[in-house]
Amino acid sequence: MKECMVRLIYCEMLGYESSFGYIHAIKLAQQGNLLEKRVGYLAVSLFLHENHELLLLLVNTVVKDLQSTNLVEVCMALTVVSQIFPREMIPAVLPLIEDKLQHSKEIIRRKAVQALYKFYLIAPNQVQHIHDKFRKALCDRDAGVMAASLHIYLQMIKENSSGYKDLTGSFVTILKQVVGGKLSADFNYHSVPAPWLQIQLLRILGLLGKDDPRTSELMYDVLDESLRRAEINHNITYAILFECVQTIYTIHPKSELLEKAAKCIGKFVLSPKINLKYLGLKALTYVIQQDPNLALQHQMTIIECLDHPDPIIKRETLELLYRITNGQNVIVIVQKMLDYLKESQEEYAIISLVAKIAELAEKYAPNNEWFIQTMNAVFSVGGDVVHSDIPNNFLRLLAEGFDDEKEDHQLRMYAVQSYLALLEEEDKLYPQKFLQVMSWVLGEYFSLVTDVDPEVILTKLHGLLRKTFVTSETKAWIMAAVTKIASHTSCSKAVDEIIQELSSSLDTCLRQYAFELKHLCEDRALMKSCLPFDASCSDLVVDASLSFLDGFVAEGLAHGAAPYKPHHQRQEEKLSQEKALNFEPYGLSFASSVSSSGVTGRQSPTGLSFGSDISGNSAETGHKETNTLKLEGVRKLWGKEGYLPKKENKTGKGNEPQPVPCGSFLSGQVGEAPALQPEQGASLSEEDKEKQQLASTLFIGLGSSAGVSLMGKADTATQKFKRKSKITETQQLSEEASDLQTSTASDFGSLLDTVPVNVEDSEGSMHTRLRKASPSSDIVEDSLAFETPQSLRKSVLDDRISANRLSQSSLFADSNIEIFQPSSSAQCESASETPLVPSLPEELAELPHSEVVGLCQSAALALHLCKVWTDDSLLLIVFVSNKTPSALHAVNLVFEETEHFQILESASSQFPVIEAQSMEHCQKCVKMNKVCTQAILPGSVSYQSEMETCLELSVTLSLMDFIRPMEMTTEDFGKLWLSLSNDVKQNIKMSSCQDSLSAALDTLQQKLKLHRVDVIGNEGILACQLLPSVPCLLHCRTHSGMLALWFRSPCAALPDGLLYQCQKVMEES
């Protein structure tokens, strides 16, 4: 069997189907012979993926091998667990792997840490309670175990760096020992001591020292030593230098280190080797925020890189130019990007560049004509690989308009004129998305062009419908435009021809459009009421209950039709008829009857019988409908011709330039670009003159006086296309159309979901940052019963957070406030003044609330914040204090909606005047859109004194801020339990003070705000809700000193978040 399995592995590598042998691989892994077991484990790791259903048959074997006294068997089991293991079965092996952290053999401890790292990636909530054991692994006497633990710490510090500041000294000490060569020679690579370990530690130090002067001071010496010792001419030392440069520019700056890092970057950029030049451009792109003059020093080299034969160098150069773009050089930079876009054939490069061009065009467009022409070029060159958000947001921008009605009219009119001119070219082939944009604009704003007869536009659209390259989806867009135009014309020959041609079309959708158009043409009054002019931003009243179908449903029921059953009910009925697999470990099974009930078998927490017992997400069980093996995720890397992916052509070593001595990177000054003297300019060639002229155009606006953010946006530039504010829009709609039911248009984000935010640093210079979105957790997916009628707006979250974080204890857990600390000079000035003490209004003071803590402050203004937890909402009370002897004008406080949180009603508060030495306050109601353990709500406050000033602020909100008790009866609990589809299970060890179920329930009820529904024997049920109305049910059971938790909720992410809070609370108590 062993030889057959080896041949089967070879067949699978060649790309042939060999699923018939998967079960034999599992059987081979269960054999007693070590060699056969090793081949079986190897085959399983190559054949199966972590969601494969056959992995369940391997769990018992893994548990058995983890308990073996043979080190080889334990190592093989740990290796398989760290590669592929089902998420639902982690509780079965987690205690065994925890015990292996104390094993006498270092190889076992190292593989155990690697397995826990895998668990943290796929199910972080299930290993939150063993963080102390990670710290022991970091201090392990074996360097391999310590190195393995760095992977876990890097991941955890990325998510929450403030919780691991106390380990900075340990990481610095480890890096000093590594750099000093204290590790054994086995860790050396080309005489470089543990280079990958150095890179890992440098990344960790960069995250810990970001915006934290005190923590950064601990790192300065070891970073200097790392730069000094990287003197060997090898690629791995270049990698270490690059990570050092990134770390130096990430942490709180020190002038001596910045100078040395700048020298390294200069040597990289000027190197003839392509790899080093790429590293230099990459580093220059990263550090452009802190030192914009560094780009000026190498501007001629950057110009030469635009014409470099290597496309990667070109692309990175364009990325650098993108980050230094401002209102003065946007035309030249966008043109360079478009030129590269026309030459590029790589789909990834096209998608990335198109997104950047669209962002720059919206932000810095000098006029309407240039904006429309640039977007036309984007759609034409980008083709159908353009992300759908770009055309959608472009159309939203046209429909939404700006504060200036005249600008709206001119922009829309020029768009219509440009599209009509493009359609004049008969044989021109345009991408489908571009045709869809044209159709929408022409159908919406055709009447703005008075010198063109609508019949001409209809004729052109009719011509597009006859084109064979136009897809059915695009033809649907064209038919919508034809219908809109036809509603404003009395009679049209083109419309009649379209109806006649498409009425017999084989495309069902187009045929339906034709009949709808014919019906509307016969009833002009109906057509005008259904298709009002320029009503794309008007809100539509949608009957979500579909009450207009009540008569149809009643008639069907009267004729014997079966009543409708929701999806979850059909699923439960289906599961009750099937024999499903039991995913639970046998030792702590939930399958026990309620002591007070005589019913046997599987029981619900309320005594109601379950149809099956499947842990994890029970919604996934609906996919198990066939008896065939699942082959998703099996990679096909080999075929009959050999290795399928194309191999890269290797260049010969003869043409490779000589390596640059790395030791020279730290010596000498990087020469600035010499200024051209008049007599020197005459001797320059025409090509050099063009480069000098291009450099002066590209790098205009950069210098010591220009503040450039991480994304390279100058602070003086204002966004060309600024959206209407909701307040202004509401007033206009109420005045102009009071007889119609209207509402404000949505406040859309930019084409790339980026929002500029002004931040004033301690020295008074203004910088602009771009906030970018990163999905972190699942969206709250409520069932129909818990669906909210209001659409959730997604925003972006700033990845750069103010330093000096301060945690304040409160009545509710994890209510931490992010503090923005001013400079020391500002603190000294404000300390001499008498502070204004904020206090809650009487109606709010009686409610549960947090302490009043400082939010941000400057020499003139101070902000404090207090959380108030009501039964149905979270209120943020913000106190704005004027510390100056004169009044402050135009104080504007704005909270930004992120992907996690939404500000109900208005996100901004305006104070026209705040008198001297006085205080104002406002309150904001916050709603959680995406479930997360903890996230940041950013904002800013601007005010006018001698000059306009802006401060950035941030508030840390936790999941428990939005959890409230949910009262219900045991019967209601049972009914709701069966209707919920997402569940999570976990076993937690109970401490000595929690030896009873009652004590554990008391702890959960008090600290997590859960409602205790009922207690039956050794089982208890609790309920809570995520505001406003997303329920989460909890079933608890004690067994052999363990507390078994079982959560269910309509939201997939909510059980995981509450499970983490339960683990944390039980450990603390």
Side-chain angles (χ1 to χ4, degrees):
M1 179 58 71
K2 178 173 66 67
E3 289 77 10
C4 293
M5 191 56 58
V6 173
R7 287 168 173 77
L8 200 63
I9 293 175
Y10 182 66
C11 293
E12 184 81 9
M13 293 170 63
L14 292 179
Y16 294 100
E17 181 65 35
S18 56
S19 59
F20 60 88
Y22 292 175
I23 187 65
H24 297 287
I26 293 178
K27 289 181 178 180
L28 194 62
Q30 297 171 348
Q31 300 300 318
N33 185 282
L34 285 178
L35 188 57
E36 292 181 347
K37 182 183 288 291
R38 183 177 182 181
V39 174
Y41 273 136
L42 174 63
V44 168
S45 63
L46 294 175
F47 290 161
L48 308 181
H49 55 86
E50 59 187 22
N51 295 323
H52 202 285
E53 56 187 6
L54 286 181
L55 274 182
L56 294 175
L57 303 178
L58 195 67
V59 173
N60 194 35
T61 303
V62 171
V63 173
K64 177 183 175 183
D65 290 340
L66 286 175
Q67 296 172 339
S68 173
T69 56
N70 191 318
L71 295 181
V72 180
E73 291 183 352
V74 177
C75 287
M76 288 190 293
L78 289 173
T79 302
V80 169
V81 167
S82 61
Q83 291 178 348
I84 54 170
F85 201 74
R87 179 180 183 271
E88 297 82 5
M89 299 309 299
I90 290 178
V93 298
L94 185 58
L96 298 174
I97 296 179
E98 288 184 43
D99 294 338
K100 295 299 179 288
L101 293 175
Q102 311 296 330
H103 202 276
S104 58
K105 294 295 183 180
E106 58 274 1
I107 187 174
I108 302 296
R109 299 198 302 272
R110 183 171 69 247
K111 288 183 176 294
V113 173
Q114 293 172 349
L116 291 176
Y117 174 60
K118 175 67 173 180
F119 291 169
Y120 184 83
L121 293 179
I122 62 177
N125 60 289
Q126 300 195 27
V127 295
Q128 295 283 357
H129 61 288
I130 56 175
H131 283 190
D132 291 338
K133 296 184 179 180
F134 294 157
R135 294 182 180 241
K136 293 181 180 179
L138 182 65
C139 303
D140 195 277
R141 59 183 179 272
D142 182 73
V145 179
M146 177 271 297
S149 68
L150 291 181
H151 295 281
I152 302 179
Y153 274 107
L154 179 60
Q155 194 69 26
M156 293 190 299
I157 292 173
K158 283 181 180 179
E159 299 172 0
N160 179 25
S161 61
S162 61
Y164 302 93
K165 298 282 188 180
D166 58 321
L167 292 177
T168 304
S170 300
F171 291 125
V172 170
T173 303
I174 294 173
L175 183 57
K176 284 182 179 179
Q177 294 178 357
V178 173
V179 173
K182 299 297 179 62
L183 299 185
S184 65
D186 296 337
F187 290 89
N188 291 355
Y189 178 77
H190 288 269
S191 301
V192 180
W196 286 276
L197 193 57
Q198 291 189 48
I199 292 173
Q200 198 88 320
L201 287 166
L202 288 170
R203 291 174 179 174
I204 291 175
L205 293 180
L207 294 172
L208 291 174
K210 187 177 181 180
D211 299 329
D212 191 341
R214 181 176 300 177
T215 305
S216 299
E217 288 179 1
L218 304 175
M219 311 174 187
Y220 292 151
D221 293 339
V222 70
L223 290 176
D224 192 8
E225 184 72 10
S226 298
L227 283 174
R228 187 178 62 82
R229 287 181 177 269
E231 297 177 353
I232 302 175
N233 297 324
H234 194 273
N235 285 337
I236 195 63
T237 59
Y238 302 147
I240 295 175
L241 282 175
F242 178 75
E243 290 296 336
C244 282
V245 169
Q246 279 197 320
T247 303
I248 290 172
Y249 276 96
T250 301
I251 65 176
H252 190 75
K254 184 181 180 182
S255 57
E256 293 82 358
L257 287 177
L258 291 178
E259 291 177 3
K260 294 182 180 180
K263 294 175 187 177
C264 289
I265 294 176
K267 293 296 183 180
F268 280 148
V269 172
L270 298 175
S271 172
K273 293 184 67 174
I274 293 180
N275 289 339
L276 295 186
K277 188 179 291 292
Y278 174 79
L279 278 183
L281 292 173
K282 194 82 173 176
L284 198 60
T285 303
Y286 182 80
V287 306
I288 196 65
Q289 176 194 12
Q290 288 86 352
D291 193 2
N293 288 323
L294 200 57
L296 293 176
Q297 296 173 11
H298 305 287
Q299 53 182 315
M300 295 310 300
T301 304
I302 295 173
I303 296 300
E304 293 175 357
C305 290
L306 286 173
D307 299 325
H308 200 280
D310 193 302
I312 304 299
I313 298 295
K314 280 186 179 180
R315 189 187 308 167
E316 192 59 37
T317 306
L318 291 176
E319 177 69 23
L320 173 61
L321 295 179
Y322 160 73
R323 299 197 180 215
I324 64 173
T325 306
N326 52 52
Q328 297 172 288
N329 59 13
V330 62
I331 297 178
V332 181
I333 291 179
V334 167
Q335 186 58 47
K336 289 293 180 182
M337 290 183 174
L338 288 174
D339 293 342
Y340 180 82
L341 198 61
K342 295 175 183 177
E343 301 174 358
S344 178
Q345 301 295 327
E346 302 177 23
E347 182 175 341
Y348 170 79
I350 293 175
I351 295 175
S352 177
L353 272 182
V354 161
K356 290 180 173 62
I357 295 172
E359 177 191 351
L360 297 179
E362 181 187 357
K363 187 172 179 62
Y364 298 113
N367 51 63
N368 294 332
E369 291 78 6
W370 183 87
F371 175 69
I372 295 298
Q373 291 173 1
T374 302
M375 294 305 299
N376 290 348
V378 166
F379 295 136
S380 299
V381 180
D384 291 325
V385 299
V386 174
H387 196 276
S388 58
D389 286 345
I390 294 178
N392 291 343
N393 288 325
F394 172 69
L395 296 180
R396 287 177 180 177
L397 188 147
L398 288 178
E400 191 179 51
F402 322 118
D403 293 333
D404 190 350
E405 293 293 337
K406 184 178 180 181
E407 286 285 333
D408 295 349
H409 184 273
Q410 292 178 353
L411 179 65
R412 294 163 181 169
M413 183 175 65
Y414 187 81
V416 174
Q417 292 173 347
S418 65
Y419 295 151
L420 289 176
L422 291 175
L423 291 179
E424 290 290 344
E425 305 177 19
E426 296 292 338
D427 299 331
K428 186 71 173 180
L429 299 179
Y430 295 108
Q432 301 300 316
K433 291 185 178 179
F434 193 17
L435 290 176
Q436 295 169 10
V437 170
M438 290 183 186
S439 303
W440 190 91
V441 173
L442 292 177
E444 201 71 29
Y445 304 113
F446 70 95
S447 60
L448 297 180
V449 183
T450 56
D451 56 344
V452 178
D453 188 5
E455 185 68 20
V456 176
I457 302 177
L458 289 172
T459 303
K460 293 181 179 180
L461 295 177
H462 186 198
L464 287 178
L465 288 173
R466 293 176 175 175
K467 300 290 185 181
T468 56
F469 69 89
V470 180
T471 63
S472 298
E473 180 185 2
T474 305
K475 288 181 180 180
W477 284 70
I478 297 174
M479 282 299 298
V482 169
T483 306
K484 294 177 185 177
I485 299 175
S487 65
H488 298 276
T489 57
S490 56
C491 58
S492 173
K493 181 180 179 182
V495 172
D496 296 337
E497 293 178 357
I498 292 173
I499 294 174
Q500 183 177 359
E501 291 178 6
L502 297 184
S503 296
S504 57
S505 173
L506 297 179
D507 192 309
T508 307
C509 181
L510 292 179
R511 191 163 65 251
Q512 178 180 347
Y513 267 111
F515 283 114
E516 290 176 354
L517 179 58
K518 180 180 179 182
H519 181 71
L520 290 174
C521 289
E522 294 173 354
D523 191 345
R524 288 287 172 175
L526 177 62
M527 175 180 280
K528 289 186 177 181
S529 63
C530 293
L531 301 170
F533 175 72
D534 193 14
S536 57
C537 285
S538 299
D539 289 345
L540 299 178
V541 179
V542 179
D543 185 3
S545 63
L546 304 180
S547 58
F548 55 88
L549 294 177
D550 290 346
F552 174 78
V553 172
E555 183 179 354
L557 293 175
H559 288 81
Y564 173 75
K565 295 181 180 179
H567 172 72
H568 60 80
Q569 185 177 351
R570 297 196 302 270
Q571 187 181 43
E572 292 289 343
E573 292 178 356
K574 180 180 179 181
L575 292 176
S576 64
Q577 300 172 1
E578 296 179 354
K579 184 178 180 181
L581 294 173
N582 187 350
F583 287 177
E584 296 176 356
Y586 294 108
L588 296 172
S589 175
F590 285 90
S592 62
S593 60
V594 180
S595 59
S596 61
S597 173
V599 183
T600 60
R602 299 286 302 167
Q603 298 291 328
S604 74
T606 60
L608 300 177
S609 176
F610 282 176
S612 65
D613 180 37
I614 297 181
S615 67
N617 190 344
S618 60
E620 297 177 358
T621 57
H623 298 290
K624 300 180 181 179
E625 299 177 354
T626 63
N627 295 325
T628 60
L629 294 175
K630 292 186 177 180
L631 303 178
E632 304 89 54
V634 180
R635 295 186 297 176
K636 304 297 182 182
L637 299 180
W638 292 85
K640 297 180 179 180
E641 293 79 19
Y643 191 55
L644 294 179
K646 295 182 179 179
K647 299 182 178 179
E648 298 181 357
N649 296 328
K650 298 183 178 179
T651 58
K653 296 184 178 179
N655 298 329
E656 184 176 342
Q658 296 297 325
V660 178
C662 187
S664 63
F665 280 22
L666 303 178
S667 61
Q669 299 291 335
V670 179
E672 297 186 1
L676 289 179
Q677 301 295 333
E679 60 272 16
Q680 294 175 342
S683 61
L684 291 175
S685 62
E686 291 297 330
E687 183 179 358
D688 292 337
K689 289 181 180 179
E690 292 179 0
K691 290 182 179 179
Q692 291 286 358
Q693 185 178 2
L694 179 59
S696 62
T697 307
L698 287 176
F699 297 95
I700 186 174
L702 290 181
S704 58
S705 61
V708 181
S709 72
L710 182 62
M711 299 301 295
K713 305 301 179 287
D715 59 334
T716 56
T718 57
Q719 187 165 348
K720 168 66 179 176
F721 300 114
K722 185 178 180 181
R723 311 303 171 87
K724 289 182 179 179
S725 64
K726 291 188 176 181
I727 298 176
T728 305
E729 207 168 356
T730 306
Q731 293 174 352
Q732 291 176 353
L733 287 173
S734 61
E735 292 175 1
E736 297 175 3
S738 58
D739 57 333
L740 297 177
Q741 183 180 1
T742 57
S743 62
T744 57
S746 301
D747 187 15
F748 299 108
S750 65
L751 290 173
L752 296 178
D753 292 330
T754 57
V755 182
V757 179
N758 290 332
V759 183
E760 183 183 16
D761 60 9
S762 58
E763 299 178 358
S765 61
M766 301 295 293
H767 298 276
T768 304
R769 297 176 181 173
L770 282 183
R771 308 185 181 277
K772 291 197 173 182
S774 57
S776 59
S777 61
D778 298 331
I779 301 176
V780 179
E781 299 174 352
D782 300 342
S783 61
L784 292 177
F786 313 105
E787 188 172 4
T788 55
Q790 186 179 4
S791 62
L792 305 180
R793 173 176 176 256
K794 294 184 179 179
S795 180
V796 292
L797 184 61
D798 193 357
D799 58 352
R800 298 186 61 85
I801 301 173
S802 302
N804 302 322
R805 303 186 175 182
L806 180 63
S807 299
Q808 297 289 343
S809 60
S810 65
L811 297 178
F812 284 62
D814 296 334
S815 57
N816 298 330
I817 307 297
E818 296 292 341
I819 307 298
F820 178 89
Q821 295 288 359
S823 63
S824 58
S825 60
Q827 289 179 342
C828 295
E829 293 174 4
S830 60
S832 60
E833 301 177 359
T834 303
L836 298 173
V837 180
S839 60
L840 288 174
E842 294 182 0
E843 63 273 12
L844 299 177
E846 299 178 356
L847 298 174
H849 60 273
S850 68
E851 298 292 335
V852 178
V853 296
L855 199 55
C856 68
Q857 63 176 334
S858 66
L861 195 71
L863 267 71
H864 295 78
L865 181 132
C866 179
K867 296 181 185 177
V868 177
W869 296 283
T870 65
D871 293 337
D872 56 356
S873 65
L874 169 65
L875 298 180
L876 300 182
I877 312 300
V878 183
F879 302 92
V880 185
S881 306
N882 181 5
K883 303 190 295 183
T884 64
S886 59
L888 294 179
H889 299 274
V891 180
N892 186 23
L893 173 65
V894 179
F895 282 101
E896 299 180 13
E897 295 183 0
T898 69
E899 60 180 348
H900 298 292
F901 306 115
Q902 177 186 5
I903 305 296
L904 303 182
E905 299 177 355
S906 175
S908 63
S909 296
Q910 298 178 353
F911 305 96
V913 178
I914 299 182
E915 299 298 336
Q917 297 295 327
S918 64
M919 178 184 298
E920 299 287 345
H921 76 275
C922 63
Q923 67 181 37
K924 300 295 178 184
C925 184
V926 186
K927 174 185 176 182
M928 177 173 279
N929 287 342
K930 281 188 178 182
V931 175
C932 60
T933 304
Q934 181 175 293
I936 292 173
L937 177 65
S940 62
V941 59
S942 60
Y943 60 92
Q944 187 76 31
S945 56
E946 297 179 358
M947 60 177 293
E948 186 176 356
T949 309
C950 183
L951 297 177
E952 188 181 60
L953 55 94
S954 59
V955 180
T956 299
L957 302 177
S958 70
L959 174 63
M960 300 315 301
D961 288 326
F962 302 91
I963 295 296
R964 300 292 183 271
M966 186 176 185
E967 297 184 1
M968 61 174 58
T969 63
T970 305
E971 181 180 358
D972 294 337
F973 186 98
K975 294 179 180 178
L976 183 58
W977 179 275
L978 292 177
S979 66
L980 302 180
S981 56
N982 300 287
D983 59 355
V984 171
K985 300 178 183 180
Q986 180 68 45
N987 303 320
I988 300 178
K989 292 183 180 180
M990 299 176 63
S991 60
S992 57
C993 62
Q994 298 170 347
D995 54 353
S996 64
L997 177 64
S998 178
L1001 295 183
D1002 289 339
T1003 302
L1004 297 178
Q1005 183 177 3
Q1006 294 174 4
K1007 296 189 176 182
L1008 298 185
K1009 302 186 288 294
L1010 305 179
H1011 171 66
R1012 185 187 299 190
V1013 180
D1014 199 358
V1015 177
I1016 306 175
N1018 64 339
E1019 300 185 18
I1021 52 178
L1022 303 95
C1024 65
Q1025 62 178 343
L1026 173 67
L1027 296 178
S1029 60
V1030 182
C1032 186
L1033 306 183
L1034 170 61
H1035 172 239
C1036 304
R1037 178 176 176 269
T1038 56
H1039 177 79
S1040 301
M1042 301 289 290
L1043 179 64
L1045 303 177
W1046 188 357
F1047 291 89
R1048 276 202 174 187
S1049 173
C1051 170
L1054 184 55
D1056 284 328
L1058 284 177
L1059 177 57
Y1060 166 70
Q1061 297 294 339
C1062 287
Q1063 291 174 331
K1064 185 176 180 181
V1065 165
M1066 296 300 289
E1067 288 182 5
E1068 293 175 352
S1069 58

